[in-house]
Amino acid sequence: MEWLTQHKIPIGKWARTLFDWLQGNFSFAFDALSDTLEAMIEAILWLLQAPPPLAIIALFMALAYGLQRSWRAAALVGCGFLFILNQGYWEETTESLTLVLSACVVCMGLGVPIGIMAAHRPRLYAAMRPVLDLMQTLPTFVYLIPAIVFFGIGMVPGLIATVIFVLPAPIRLTHLGVTATPTPLIEAAQAFGATPRQLLWKVELPYAFPQIMAGLNQTIMLSLSMVVIAALVGADGLGVPVVRALNQVNTALGFESGFVIVVLAIILDRMLRIERK
């Protein structure tokens, strides 16, 4: 078998050549993207940290009640945030929320239009499917290497790695929701003279809305799963105490910070869970 290993396909060398070429020719584009994302992150972080914590908690409770029409959901959100405040992780929680919200803005802003486009072009979706599989199955640590090369250390490379890992979820679920629109419903709209744009906005998107919201929910959950990995490239948030606990073999700190991440995930999941009636 030595003859096979001696003729190794140079995948790693090709990847390094590609990254070197991109860095040498498009560094201005990466700098502009980094500045834009950093400005968005700083704006969201300011909105979460400038007001008093109780005001932010009340805002999230009101948002939960507005979305779910349930005082139980609002009370659960309030109790969860008060628990986080009690544990002394409010600043880290706002930093993780900033990363999650930034990932939602980017992923939903890209994923929903791409999903709609793919739903109306089956060949495009067939070509995209292997790429989406690669984005979700390639180890997330691999994303960190080019992210550091192109964007340095901090929140931006953590956000880029998160977006690459999470983006397939809203694309797939938006595609599923649009393609699942019943044919009789589409034919009825066309019979009444609906244009393709009216068909999209008044038939397909309303029917696909629960799936799109499920995509948003998955985007948030997957983004939260990346907070620890993002901490390895300098991103602030709840991943930092987890990494510190791992380095120090500190069971108490690890369980405490990990449980706060779980509570935050439950809060966001209950706020955004929308089921088809």
Side-chain angles (χ1 to χ4, degrees):
M1 297 297 291
E2 293 183 359
W3 63 271
L4 185 60
T5 58
Q6 289 175 355
H7 297 82
K8 177 181 177 181
I9 301 175
I11 295 178
K13 183 178 180 181
W14 292 344
R16 184 178 61 185
T17 302
L18 174 62
F19 291 142
D20 290 342
W21 180 79
L22 289 173
Q23 187 179 19
N25 294 275
F26 296 97
S27 59
F28 66 93
F30 293 123
D31 291 341
L33 179 60
S34 178
D35 293 340
T36 302
L37 294 177
E38 189 172 356
M40 179 180 66
I41 289 171
E42 290 179 354
I44 296 175
L45 188 61
W46 181 84
L47 290 174
L48 292 174
Q49 290 187 344
L54 292 180
I56 297 297
I57 294 174
L59 178 62
F60 272 93
M61 290 179 65
L63 182 60
Y65 180 79
L67 292 173
Q68 300 296 332
R69 296 297 176 183
S70 170
W71 285 109
R72 291 184 178 180
L76 176 65
V77 170
C79 291
F81 276 121
L82 288 175
F83 171 78
I84 293 172
L85 192 61
N86 170 263
Q87 295 297 302
Y89 284 90
W90 181 255
E91 182 177 353
E92 291 84 355
T93 299
T94 57
E95 291 167 346
S96 291
L97 269 175
T98 298
L99 180 63
V100 170
L101 292 176
S102 300
C104 287
V105 170
V106 177
C107 289
M108 297 305 290
L110 294 175
V112 173
I114 293 175
I116 293 172
M117 188 184 305
H120 292 102
R121 296 169 177 81
R123 291 184 179 179
L124 174 62
Y125 185 68
M128 288 171 50
R129 193 179 303 163
V131 179
L132 298 178
D133 293 338
L134 178 66
M135 292 169 67
Q136 287 193 305
T137 56
L138 194 67
T140 51
F141 288 98
V142 177
Y143 300 144
L144 300 180
I145 301 172
I148 293 173
V149 171
F150 294 144
F151 302 102
I153 300 296
M155 292 286 280
V156 173
L159 175 59
I160 295 296
T162 301
V163 168
I164 295 174
F165 176 67
V166 175
L167 186 58
I171 293 177
R172 291 183 188 275
L173 286 168
T174 301
H175 172 269
L176 176 63
V178 174
T179 55
T181 306
T183 302
L185 193 61
I186 295 176
E187 291 176 348
Q190 291 174 337
F192 281 97
T195 64
R197 178 175 296 182
Q198 291 173 333
L199 187 66
L200 173 64
W201 286 99
K202 297 186 178 181
V203 178
E204 292 176 336
L205 286 183
Y207 189 86
F209 182 72
Q211 292 291 345
I212 295 174
M213 290 301 297
L216 176 60
N217 187 287
Q218 287 298 303
T219 298
I220 291 174
M221 295 300 108
L222 292 172
S223 298
L224 276 175
S225 71
M226 289 289 290
V227 296
V228 177
I229 296 175
L232 297 176
V233 293
D236 297 324
L238 293 169
V240 175
V242 174
V243 174
R244 188 184 306 124
L246 181 63
N247 293 332
Q248 299 173 356
V249 197
N250 190 331
T251 306
L253 178 61
F255 184 85
E256 186 180 80
S257 54
F259 193 72
V260 169
I261 295 176
V262 172
V263 171
L264 181 60
I266 292 173
I267 290 172
L268 297 176
D269 178 69
R270 294 301 182 271
M271 284 181 60
L272 297 171
R273 179 175 295 179
I274 295 179
E275 300 177 356
R276 191 186 301 277
K277 297 181 179 179

